[in-house]
mmCIF file with all atom_site columns, all heavy atoms in Angstrom:
data_model
loop_
_atom_site.group_PDB
_atom_site.id
_atom_site.type_symbol
_atom_site.label_atom_id
_atom_site.label_alt_id
_atom_site.label_comp_id
_atom_site.label_asym_id
_atom_site.label_entity_id
_atom_site.label_seq_id
_atom_site.pdbx_PDB_ins_code
_atom_site.Cartn_x
_atom_site.Cartn_y
_atom_site.Cartn_z
_atom_site.occupancy
_atom_site.B_iso_or_equiv
_atom_site.pdbx_formal_charge
_atom_site.auth_seq_id
_atom_site.auth_comp_id
_atom_site.auth_asym_id
_atom_site.auth_atom_id
_atom_site.pdbx_PDB_model_num
ATOM 1   N N   . LYS A 1 38  ? 107.409 164.198 21.088 1.00 0.00 ? 67  LYS A N   1
ATOM 2   C CA  . LYS A 1 38  ? 108.784 163.834 21.448 1.00 0.00 ? 67  LYS A CA  1
ATOM 3   C C   . LYS A 1 38  ? 109.310 164.592 22.658 1.00 0.00 ? 67  LYS A C   1
ATOM 4   O O   . LYS A 1 38  ? 110.171 164.111 23.370 1.00 0.00 ? 67  LYS A O   1
ATOM 5   C CB  . LYS A 1 38  ? 109.705 164.110 20.262 1.00 0.00 ? 67  LYS A CB  1
ATOM 6   C CG  . LYS A 1 38  ? 109.537 163.103 19.148 1.00 0.00 ? 67  LYS A CG  1
ATOM 7   C CD  . LYS A 1 38  ? 110.384 163.495 17.955 1.00 0.00 ? 67  LYS A CD  1
ATOM 8   C CE  . LYS A 1 38  ? 110.254 162.463 16.836 1.00 0.00 ? 67  LYS A CE  1
ATOM 9   N NZ  . LYS A 1 38  ? 111.033 162.859 15.660 1.00 0.00 ? 67  LYS A NZ  1
ATOM 10  N N   . SER A 1 41  ? 108.354 163.506 28.236 1.00 0.00 ? 70  SER A N   1
ATOM 11  C CA  . SER A 1 41  ? 108.982 162.296 28.757 1.00 0.00 ? 70  SER A CA  1
ATOM 12  C C   . SER A 1 41  ? 107.909 161.402 29.360 1.00 0.00 ? 70  SER A C   1
ATOM 13  O O   . SER A 1 41  ? 106.974 161.884 29.985 1.00 0.00 ? 70  SER A O   1
ATOM 14  C CB  . SER A 1 41  ? 109.997 162.645 29.842 1.00 0.00 ? 70  SER A CB  1
ATOM 15  O OG  . SER A 1 41  ? 110.922 163.579 29.341 1.00 0.00 ? 70  SER A OG  1
ATOM 16  N N   . TYR A 1 48  ? 110.568 157.185 37.841 1.00 0.00 ? 77  TYR A N   1
ATOM 17  C CA  . TYR A 1 48  ? 110.575 158.641 37.985 1.00 0.00 ? 77  TYR A CA  1
ATOM 18  C C   . TYR A 1 48  ? 110.941 159.045 39.412 1.00 0.00 ? 77  TYR A C   1
ATOM 19  O O   . TYR A 1 48  ? 111.811 159.892 39.647 1.00 0.00 ? 77  TYR A O   1
ATOM 20  C CB  . TYR A 1 48  ? 109.178 159.136 37.604 1.00 0.00 ? 77  TYR A CB  1
ATOM 21  C CG  . TYR A 1 48  ? 108.891 160.597 37.804 1.00 0.00 ? 77  TYR A CG  1
ATOM 22  C CD1 . TYR A 1 48  ? 109.142 161.527 36.800 1.00 0.00 ? 77  TYR A CD1 1
ATOM 23  C CD2 . TYR A 1 48  ? 108.307 161.047 38.992 1.00 0.00 ? 77  TYR A CD2 1
ATOM 24  C CE1 . TYR A 1 48  ? 108.836 162.866 36.977 1.00 0.00 ? 77  TYR A CE1 1
ATOM 25  C CE2 . TYR A 1 48  ? 108.002 162.377 39.178 1.00 0.00 ? 77  TYR A CE2 1
ATOM 26  C CZ  . TYR A 1 48  ? 108.269 163.292 38.166 1.00 0.00 ? 77  TYR A CZ  1
ATOM 27  O OH  . TYR A 1 48  ? 107.965 164.607 38.346 1.00 0.00 ? 77  TYR A OH  1
ATOM 28  N N   . ARG A 1 52  ? 114.424 160.913 40.930 1.00 0.00 ? 81  ARG A N   1
ATOM 29  C CA  . ARG A 1 52  ? 114.359 162.124 41.743 1.00 0.00 ? 81  ARG A CA  1
ATOM 30  C C   . ARG A 1 52  ? 115.063 161.929 43.089 1.00 0.00 ? 81  ARG A C   1
ATOM 31  O O   . ARG A 1 52  ? 115.837 162.772 43.537 1.00 0.00 ? 81  ARG A O   1
ATOM 32  C CB  . ARG A 1 52  ? 112.905 162.542 41.980 1.00 0.00 ? 81  ARG A CB  1
ATOM 33  C CG  . ARG A 1 52  ? 112.816 163.750 42.902 1.00 0.00 ? 81  ARG A CG  1
ATOM 34  C CD  . ARG A 1 52  ? 111.439 164.315 42.985 1.00 0.00 ? 81  ARG A CD  1
ATOM 35  N NE  . ARG A 1 52  ? 110.554 163.447 43.753 1.00 0.00 ? 81  ARG A NE  1
ATOM 36  C CZ  . ARG A 1 52  ? 109.277 163.747 43.999 1.00 0.00 ? 81  ARG A CZ  1
ATOM 37  N NH1 . ARG A 1 52  ? 108.752 164.839 43.524 1.00 0.00 ? 81  ARG A NH1 1
ATOM 38  N NH2 . ARG A 1 52  ? 108.542 162.929 44.702 1.00 0.00 ? 81  ARG A NH2 1
ATOM 39  N N   . ALA A 1 58  ? 122.076 162.932 45.933 1.00 0.00 ? 87  ALA A N   1
ATOM 40  C CA  . ALA A 1 58  ? 123.357 163.411 45.389 1.00 0.00 ? 87  ALA A CA  1
ATOM 41  C C   . ALA A 1 58  ? 123.657 164.820 45.903 1.00 0.00 ? 87  ALA A C   1
ATOM 42  O O   . ALA A 1 58  ? 124.796 165.126 46.258 1.00 0.00 ? 87  ALA A O   1
ATOM 43  C CB  . ALA A 1 58  ? 123.327 163.395 43.864 1.00 0.00 ? 87  ALA A CB  1
ATOM 44  N N   . ASN A 1 59  ? 122.641 165.657 45.941 1.00 0.00 ? 88  ASN A N   1
ATOM 45  C CA  . ASN A 1 59  ? 122.831 167.018 46.446 1.00 0.00 ? 88  ASN A CA  1
ATOM 46  C C   . ASN A 1 59  ? 123.247 166.988 47.922 1.00 0.00 ? 88  ASN A C   1
ATOM 47  O O   . ASN A 1 59  ? 124.194 167.661 48.322 1.00 0.00 ? 88  ASN A O   1
ATOM 48  C CB  . ASN A 1 59  ? 121.550 167.827 46.276 1.00 0.00 ? 88  ASN A CB  1
ATOM 49  C CG  . ASN A 1 59  ? 121.650 169.194 46.939 1.00 0.00 ? 88  ASN A CG  1
ATOM 50  O OD1 . ASN A 1 59  ? 122.643 169.890 46.792 1.00 0.00 ? 88  ASN A OD1 1
ATOM 51  N ND2 . ASN A 1 59  ? 120.625 169.565 47.688 1.00 0.00 ? 88  ASN A ND2 1
ATOM 52  N N   . SER A 1 61  ? 124.697 164.591 49.512 1.00 0.00 ? 90  SER A N   1
ATOM 53  C CA  . SER A 1 61  ? 126.019 163.983 49.676 1.00 0.00 ? 90  SER A CA  1
ATOM 54  C C   . SER A 1 61  ? 127.123 164.960 49.285 1.00 0.00 ? 90  SER A C   1
ATOM 55  O O   . SER A 1 61  ? 128.239 164.872 49.782 1.00 0.00 ? 90  SER A O   1
ATOM 56  C CB  . SER A 1 61  ? 126.135 162.708 48.837 1.00 0.00 ? 90  SER A CB  1
ATOM 57  O OG  . SER A 1 61  ? 126.397 163.018 47.480 1.00 0.00 ? 90  SER A OG  1
ATOM 58  N N   . SER A 1 62  ? 126.822 165.884 48.395 1.00 0.00 ? 91  SER A N   1
ATOM 59  C CA  . SER A 1 62  ? 127.882 166.767 47.885 1.00 0.00 ? 91  SER A CA  1
ATOM 60  C C   . SER A 1 62  ? 128.401 167.702 48.974 1.00 0.00 ? 91  SER A C   1
ATOM 61  O O   . SER A 1 62  ? 129.542 168.142 48.930 1.00 0.00 ? 91  SER A O   1
ATOM 62  C CB  . SER A 1 62  ? 127.383 167.581 46.688 1.00 0.00 ? 91  SER A CB  1
ATOM 63  O OG  . SER A 1 62  ? 126.541 168.635 47.112 1.00 0.00 ? 91  SER A OG  1
ATOM 64  N N   . ALA A 1 65  ? 131.260 166.104 50.640 1.00 0.00 ? 94  ALA A N   1
ATOM 65  C CA  . ALA A 1 65  ? 132.230 165.466 49.765 1.00 0.00 ? 94  ALA A CA  1
ATOM 66  C C   . ALA A 1 65  ? 133.610 166.095 49.854 1.00 0.00 ? 94  ALA A C   1
ATOM 67  O O   . ALA A 1 65  ? 133.751 167.311 49.834 1.00 0.00 ? 94  ALA A O   1
ATOM 68  C CB  . ALA A 1 65  ? 131.733 165.528 48.327 1.00 0.00 ? 94  ALA A CB  1
ATOM 69  N N   . GLY A 1 68  ? 138.665 166.592 46.508 1.00 0.00 ? 97  GLY A N   1
ATOM 70  C CA  . GLY A 1 68  ? 140.106 166.739 46.349 1.00 0.00 ? 97  GLY A CA  1
ATOM 71  C C   . GLY A 1 68  ? 140.820 165.461 46.760 1.00 0.00 ? 97  GLY A C   1
ATOM 72  O O   . GLY A 1 68  ? 141.679 164.953 46.045 1.00 0.00 ? 97  GLY A O   1
ATOM 73  N N   . LEU A 1 70  ? 139.536 162.466 46.973 1.00 0.00 ? 99  LEU A N   1
ATOM 74  C CA  . LEU A 1 70  ? 139.201 161.366 46.075 1.00 0.00 ? 99  LEU A CA  1
ATOM 75  C C   . LEU A 1 70  ? 139.980 161.482 44.760 1.00 0.00 ? 99  LEU A C   1
ATOM 76  O O   . LEU A 1 70  ? 140.511 160.495 44.248 1.00 0.00 ? 99  LEU A O   1
ATOM 77  C CB  . LEU A 1 70  ? 137.690 161.357 45.792 1.00 0.00 ? 99  LEU A CB  1
ATOM 78  C CG  . LEU A 1 70  ? 137.211 160.221 44.907 1.00 0.00 ? 99  LEU A CG  1
ATOM 79  C CD1 . LEU A 1 70  ? 137.459 158.876 45.569 1.00 0.00 ? 99  LEU A CD1 1
ATOM 80  C CD2 . LEU A 1 70  ? 135.743 160.376 44.562 1.00 0.00 ? 99  LEU A CD2 1
ATOM 81  N N   . ALA A 1 71  ? 140.055 162.705 44.241 1.00 0.00 ? 100 ALA A N   1
ATOM 82  C CA  . ALA A 1 71  ? 140.795 162.925 42.995 1.00 0.00 ? 100 ALA A CA  1
ATOM 83  C C   . ALA A 1 71  ? 142.266 162.557 43.185 1.00 0.00 ? 100 ALA A C   1
ATOM 84  O O   . ALA A 1 71  ? 142.875 161.923 42.327 1.00 0.00 ? 100 ALA A O   1
ATOM 85  C CB  . ALA A 1 71  ? 140.650 164.379 42.535 1.00 0.00 ? 100 ALA A CB  1
ATOM 86  N N   . LEU A 1 73  ? 143.446 160.373 45.278 1.00 0.00 ? 102 LEU A N   1
ATOM 87  C CA  . LEU A 1 73  ? 143.487 158.916 45.370 1.00 0.00 ? 102 LEU A CA  1
ATOM 88  C C   . LEU A 1 73  ? 143.492 158.305 43.968 1.00 0.00 ? 102 LEU A C   1
ATOM 89  O O   . LEU A 1 73  ? 144.244 157.385 43.663 1.00 0.00 ? 102 LEU A O   1
ATOM 90  C CB  . LEU A 1 73  ? 142.252 158.462 46.141 1.00 0.00 ? 102 LEU A CB  1
ATOM 91  C CG  . LEU A 1 73  ? 142.277 157.106 46.814 1.00 0.00 ? 102 LEU A CG  1
ATOM 92  C CD1 . LEU A 1 73  ? 143.338 157.061 47.890 1.00 0.00 ? 102 LEU A CD1 1
ATOM 93  C CD2 . LEU A 1 73  ? 140.908 156.844 47.442 1.00 0.00 ? 102 LEU A CD2 1
ATOM 94  N N   . LEU A 1 74  ? 142.654 158.844 43.106 1.00 0.00 ? 103 LEU A N   1
ATOM 95  C CA  . LEU A 1 74  ? 142.571 158.348 41.731 1.00 0.00 ? 103 LEU A CA  1
ATOM 96  C C   . LEU A 1 74  ? 143.878 158.581 40.995 1.00 0.00 ? 103 LEU A C   1
ATOM 97  O O   . LEU A 1 74  ? 144.370 157.720 40.292 1.00 0.00 ? 103 LEU A O   1
ATOM 98  C CB  . LEU A 1 74  ? 141.446 159.050 40.971 1.00 0.00 ? 103 LEU A CB  1
ATOM 99  C CG  . LEU A 1 74  ? 140.030 158.692 41.371 1.00 0.00 ? 103 LEU A CG  1
ATOM 100 C CD1 . LEU A 1 74  ? 139.041 159.454 40.504 1.00 0.00 ? 103 LEU A CD1 1
ATOM 101 C CD2 . LEU A 1 74  ? 139.807 157.207 41.222 1.00 0.00 ? 103 LEU A CD2 1
ATOM 102 N N   . LYS B 2 23  ? 127.737 175.394 49.087 1.00 0.00 ? 38  LYS B N   1
ATOM 103 C CA  . LYS B 2 23  ? 128.887 174.500 49.136 1.00 0.00 ? 38  LYS B CA  1
ATOM 104 C C   . LYS B 2 23  ? 130.167 175.140 48.608 1.00 0.00 ? 38  LYS B C   1
ATOM 105 O O   . LYS B 2 23  ? 131.239 174.963 49.165 1.00 0.00 ? 38  LYS B O   1
ATOM 106 C CB  . LYS B 2 23  ? 128.604 173.231 48.332 1.00 0.00 ? 38  LYS B CB  1
ATOM 107 C CG  . LYS B 2 23  ? 129.833 172.338 48.217 1.00 0.00 ? 38  LYS B CG  1
ATOM 108 C CD  . LYS B 2 23  ? 129.549 170.944 47.803 1.00 0.00 ? 38  LYS B CD  1
ATOM 109 C CE  . LYS B 2 23  ? 130.841 170.175 47.542 1.00 0.00 ? 38  LYS B CE  1
ATOM 110 N NZ  . LYS B 2 23  ? 131.733 170.157 48.718 1.00 0.00 ? 38  LYS B NZ  1
ATOM 111 N N   . GLY B 2 43  ? 111.794 164.901 37.888 1.00 0.00 ? 58  GLY B N   1
ATOM 112 C CA  . GLY B 2 43  ? 111.233 164.939 39.239 1.00 0.00 ? 58  GLY B CA  1
ATOM 113 C C   . GLY B 2 43  ? 111.515 166.236 39.976 1.00 0.00 ? 58  GLY B C   1
ATOM 114 O O   . GLY B 2 43  ? 110.974 166.464 41.053 1.00 0.00 ? 58  GLY B O   1
ATOM 115 N N   . GLU B 2 45  ? 111.349 169.667 38.578 1.00 0.00 ? 60  GLU B N   1
ATOM 116 C CA  . GLU B 2 45  ? 111.072 170.518 37.416 1.00 0.00 ? 60  GLU B CA  1
ATOM 117 C C   . GLU B 2 45  ? 111.568 171.952 37.587 1.00 0.00 ? 60  GLU B C   1
ATOM 118 O O   . GLU B 2 45  ? 111.806 172.651 36.608 1.00 0.00 ? 60  GLU B O   1
ATOM 119 C CB  . GLU B 2 45  ? 109.569 170.533 37.117 1.00 0.00 ? 60  GLU B CB  1
ATOM 120 C CG  . GLU B 2 45  ? 109.010 169.202 36.606 1.00 0.00 ? 60  GLU B CG  1
ATOM 121 C CD  . GLU B 2 45  ? 108.845 168.163 37.688 1.00 0.00 ? 60  GLU B CD  1
ATOM 122 O OE1 . GLU B 2 45  ? 108.948 168.519 38.885 1.00 0.00 ? 60  GLU B OE1 1
ATOM 123 O OE2 . GLU B 2 45  ? 108.631 166.980 37.365 1.00 0.00 ? 60  GLU B OE2 1
ATOM 124 N N   . ASP B 2 57  ? 141.952 170.277 40.602 1.00 0.00 ? 72  ASP B N   1
ATOM 125 C CA  . ASP B 2 57  ? 142.119 169.479 41.811 1.00 0.00 ? 72  ASP B CA  1
ATOM 126 C C   . ASP B 2 57  ? 141.046 168.409 41.950 1.00 0.00 ? 72  ASP B C   1
ATOM 127 O O   . ASP B 2 57  ? 141.239 167.423 42.648 1.00 0.00 ? 72  ASP B O   1
ATOM 128 C CB  . ASP B 2 57  ? 142.057 170.378 43.052 1.00 0.00 ? 72  ASP B CB  1
ATOM 129 C CG  . ASP B 2 57  ? 143.316 171.210 43.199 1.00 0.00 ? 72  ASP B CG  1
ATOM 130 O OD1 . ASP B 2 57  ? 144.282 170.947 42.434 1.00 0.00 ? 72  ASP B OD1 1
ATOM 131 O OD2 . ASP B 2 57  ? 143.342 172.101 44.056 1.00 0.00 ? 72  ASP B OD2 1
ATOM 132 N N   . ALA B 2 59  ? 139.403 166.986 39.252 1.00 0.00 ? 74  ALA B N   1
ATOM 133 C CA  . ALA B 2 59  ? 139.246 166.182 38.045 1.00 0.00 ? 74  ALA B CA  1
ATOM 134 C C   . ALA B 2 59  ? 139.390 164.702 38.398 1.00 0.00 ? 74  ALA B C   1
ATOM 135 O O   . ALA B 2 59  ? 140.226 164.363 39.223 1.00 0.00 ? 74  ALA B O   1
ATOM 136 C CB  . ALA B 2 59  ? 140.305 166.578 37.023 1.00 0.00 ? 74  ALA B CB  1
ATOM 137 N N   . SER B 2 71  ? 121.682 176.354 47.342 1.00 0.00 ? 86  SER B N   1
ATOM 138 C CA  . SER B 2 71  ? 122.024 175.248 48.228 1.00 0.00 ? 86  SER B CA  1
ATOM 139 C C   . SER B 2 71  ? 122.028 173.915 47.482 1.00 0.00 ? 86  SER B C   1
ATOM 140 O O   . SER B 2 71  ? 122.218 172.864 48.075 1.00 0.00 ? 86  SER B O   1
ATOM 141 C CB  . SER B 2 71  ? 121.030 175.179 49.399 1.00 0.00 ? 86  SER B CB  1
ATOM 142 O OG  . SER B 2 71  ? 119.777 174.742 48.924 1.00 0.00 ? 86  SER B OG  1
ATOM 143 N N   . PHE B 2 72  ? 121.803 173.961 46.171 1.00 0.00 ? 87  PHE B N   1
ATOM 144 C CA  . PHE B 2 72  ? 121.711 172.718 45.390 1.00 0.00 ? 87  PHE B CA  1
ATOM 145 C C   . PHE B 2 72  ? 122.932 172.561 44.496 1.00 0.00 ? 87  PHE B C   1
ATOM 146 O O   . PHE B 2 72  ? 123.138 173.318 43.543 1.00 0.00 ? 87  PHE B O   1
ATOM 147 C CB  . PHE B 2 72  ? 120.428 172.734 44.553 1.00 0.00 ? 87  PHE B CB  1
ATOM 148 C CG  . PHE B 2 72  ? 120.046 171.396 43.990 1.00 0.00 ? 87  PHE B CG  1
ATOM 149 C CD1 . PHE B 2 72  ? 119.249 170.517 44.712 1.00 0.00 ? 87  PHE B CD1 1
ATOM 150 C CD2 . PHE B 2 72  ? 120.490 171.003 42.730 1.00 0.00 ? 87  PHE B CD2 1
ATOM 151 C CE1 . PHE B 2 72  ? 118.896 169.282 44.194 1.00 0.00 ? 87  PHE B CE1 1
ATOM 152 C CE2 . PHE B 2 72  ? 120.138 169.758 42.205 1.00 0.00 ? 87  PHE B CE2 1
ATOM 153 C CZ  . PHE B 2 72  ? 119.332 168.902 42.938 1.00 0.00 ? 87  PHE B CZ  1
ATOM 154 N N   . THR B 2 73  ? 123.782 171.600 44.849 1.00 0.00 ? 88  THR B N   1
ATOM 155 C CA  . THR B 2 73  ? 125.032 171.368 44.113 1.00 0.00 ? 88  THR B CA  1
ATOM 156 C C   . THR B 2 73  ? 125.189 169.873 43.865 1.00 0.00 ? 88  THR B C   1
ATOM 157 O O   . THR B 2 73  ? 125.110 169.084 44.801 1.00 0.00 ? 88  THR B O   1
ATOM 158 C CB  . THR B 2 73  ? 126.250 171.855 44.929 1.00 0.00 ? 88  THR B CB  1
ATOM 159 O OG1 . THR B 2 73  ? 125.993 173.168 45.426 1.00 0.00 ? 88  THR B OG1 1
ATOM 160 C CG2 . THR B 2 73  ? 127.509 171.875 44.084 1.00 0.00 ? 88  THR B CG2 1
ATOM 161 N N   . ILE B 2 111 ? 125.272 161.930 37.355 1.00 0.00 ? 126 ILE B N   1
ATOM 162 C CA  . ILE B 2 111 ? 125.216 162.469 38.713 1.00 0.00 ? 126 ILE B CA  1
ATOM 163 C C   . ILE B 2 111 ? 125.802 161.454 39.703 1.00 0.00 ? 126 ILE B C   1
ATOM 164 O O   . ILE B 2 111 ? 125.482 160.270 39.662 1.00 0.00 ? 126 ILE B O   1
ATOM 165 C CB  . ILE B 2 111 ? 123.761 162.802 39.095 1.00 0.00 ? 126 ILE B CB  1
ATOM 166 C CG1 . ILE B 2 111 ? 123.210 163.882 38.140 1.00 0.00 ? 126 ILE B CG1 1
ATOM 167 C CG2 . ILE B 2 111 ? 123.659 163.280 40.535 1.00 0.00 ? 126 ILE B CG2 1
ATOM 168 C CD1 . ILE B 2 111 ? 121.717 164.115 38.283 1.00 0.00 ? 126 ILE B CD1 1
ATOM 169 N N   . PHE B 2 114 ? 128.022 160.908 46.471 1.00 0.00 ? 129 PHE B N   1
ATOM 170 C CA  . PHE B 2 114 ? 129.322 160.785 47.115 1.00 0.00 ? 129 PHE B CA  1
ATOM 171 C C   . PHE B 2 114 ? 129.220 160.065 48.452 1.00 0.00 ? 129 PHE B C   1
ATOM 172 O O   . PHE B 2 114 ? 128.210 160.141 49.150 1.00 0.00 ? 129 PHE B O   1
ATOM 173 C CB  . PHE B 2 114 ? 129.922 162.175 47.341 1.00 0.00 ? 129 PHE B CB  1
ATOM 174 C CG  . PHE B 2 114 ? 131.339 162.127 47.834 1.00 0.00 ? 129 PHE B CG  1
ATOM 175 C CD1 . PHE B 2 114 ? 132.382 161.969 46.943 1.00 0.00 ? 129 PHE B CD1 1
ATOM 176 C CD2 . PHE B 2 114 ? 131.614 162.221 49.185 1.00 0.00 ? 129 PHE B CD2 1
ATOM 177 C CE1 . PHE B 2 114 ? 133.695 161.907 47.396 1.00 0.00 ? 129 PHE B CE1 1
ATOM 178 C CE2 . PHE B 2 114 ? 132.935 162.152 49.641 1.00 0.00 ? 129 PHE B CE2 1
ATOM 179 C CZ  . PHE B 2 114 ? 133.966 161.999 48.747 1.00 0.00 ? 129 PHE B CZ  1
ATOM 180 N N   . ARG B 2 139 ? 119.065 168.415 28.858 1.00 0.00 ? 154 ARG B N   1
ATOM 181 C CA  . ARG B 2 139 ? 117.927 167.577 29.197 1.00 0.00 ? 154 ARG B CA  1
ATOM 182 C C   . ARG B 2 139 ? 118.425 166.341 29.933 1.00 0.00 ? 154 ARG B C   1
ATOM 183 O O   . ARG B 2 139 ? 119.451 165.769 29.579 1.00 0.00 ? 154 ARG B O   1
ATOM 184 C CB  . ARG B 2 139 ? 117.237 167.163 27.895 1.00 0.00 ? 154 ARG B CB  1
ATOM 185 C CG  . ARG B 2 139 ? 115.961 166.348 28.077 1.00 0.00 ? 154 ARG B CG  1
ATOM 186 C CD  . ARG B 2 139 ? 115.418 166.034 26.684 1.00 0.00 ? 154 ARG B CD  1
ATOM 187 N NE  . ARG B 2 139 ? 114.254 165.190 26.744 1.00 0.00 ? 154 ARG B NE  1
ATOM 188 C CZ  . ARG B 2 139 ? 113.000 165.640 26.654 1.00 0.00 ? 154 ARG B CZ  1
ATOM 189 N NH1 . ARG B 2 139 ? 112.778 166.921 26.488 1.00 0.00 ? 154 ARG B NH1 1
ATOM 190 N NH2 . ARG B 2 139 ? 111.982 164.811 26.705 1.00 0.00 ? 154 ARG B NH2 1
ATOM 191 N N   . MET B 2 160 ? 137.835 153.640 37.778 1.00 0.00 ? 175 MET B N   1
ATOM 192 C CA  . MET B 2 160 ? 138.231 153.258 39.117 1.00 0.00 ? 175 MET B CA  1
ATOM 193 C C   . MET B 2 160 ? 138.793 151.844 39.170 1.00 0.00 ? 175 MET B C   1
ATOM 194 O O   . MET B 2 160 ? 139.103 151.346 40.226 1.00 0.00 ? 175 MET B O   1
ATOM 195 C CB  . MET B 2 160 ? 137.028 153.360 40.058 1.00 0.00 ? 175 MET B CB  1
ATOM 196 C CG  . MET B 2 160 ? 136.476 154.765 40.182 1.00 0.00 ? 175 MET B CG  1
ATOM 197 S SD  . MET B 2 160 ? 137.548 155.846 41.157 1.00 0.00 ? 175 MET B SD  1
ATOM 198 C CE  . MET B 2 160 ? 136.972 155.436 42.806 1.00 0.00 ? 175 MET B CE  1
ATOM 199 N N   . TYR B 2 163 ? 141.765 151.350 41.108 1.00 0.00 ? 178 TYR B N   1
ATOM 200 C CA  . TYR B 2 163 ? 141.736 151.756 42.505 1.00 0.00 ? 178 TYR B CA  1
ATOM 201 C C   . TYR B 2 163 ? 141.872 150.543 43.420 1.00 0.00 ? 178 TYR B C   1
ATOM 202 O O   . TYR B 2 163 ? 141.238 149.520 43.228 1.00 0.00 ? 178 TYR B O   1
ATOM 203 C CB  . TYR B 2 163 ? 140.425 152.481 42.822 1.00 0.00 ? 178 TYR B CB  1
ATOM 204 C CG  . TYR B 2 163 ? 140.217 152.681 44.297 1.00 0.00 ? 178 TYR B CG  1
ATOM 205 C CD1 . TYR B 2 163 ? 140.827 153.734 44.963 1.00 0.00 ? 178 TYR B CD1 1
ATOM 206 C CD2 . TYR B 2 163 ? 139.452 151.778 45.025 1.00 0.00 ? 178 TYR B CD2 1
ATOM 207 C CE1 . TYR B 2 163 ? 140.663 153.888 46.317 1.00 0.00 ? 178 TYR B CE1 1
ATOM 208 C CE2 . TYR B 2 163 ? 139.277 151.935 46.387 1.00 0.00 ? 178 TYR B CE2 1
ATOM 209 C CZ  . TYR B 2 163 ? 139.891 152.993 47.030 1.00 0.00 ? 178 TYR B CZ  1
ATOM 210 O OH  . TYR B 2 163 ? 139.733 153.143 48.377 1.00 0.00 ? 178 TYR B OH  1
#
Side-chain angles (χ1 to χ4, degrees):
Chain A
K67 286 175 178 178
S70 306
Y77 174 90
R81 176 171 72 178
N88 173 46
S90 80
S91 76
L99 182 63
L102 202 63
L103 289 181
Chain B
K38 173 163 173 57
E60 292 76 12
D72 287 351
S86 71
F87 195 88
T88 312
I126 298 170
F129 188 83
R154 184 180 176 99
M175 298 287 275
Y178 169 82

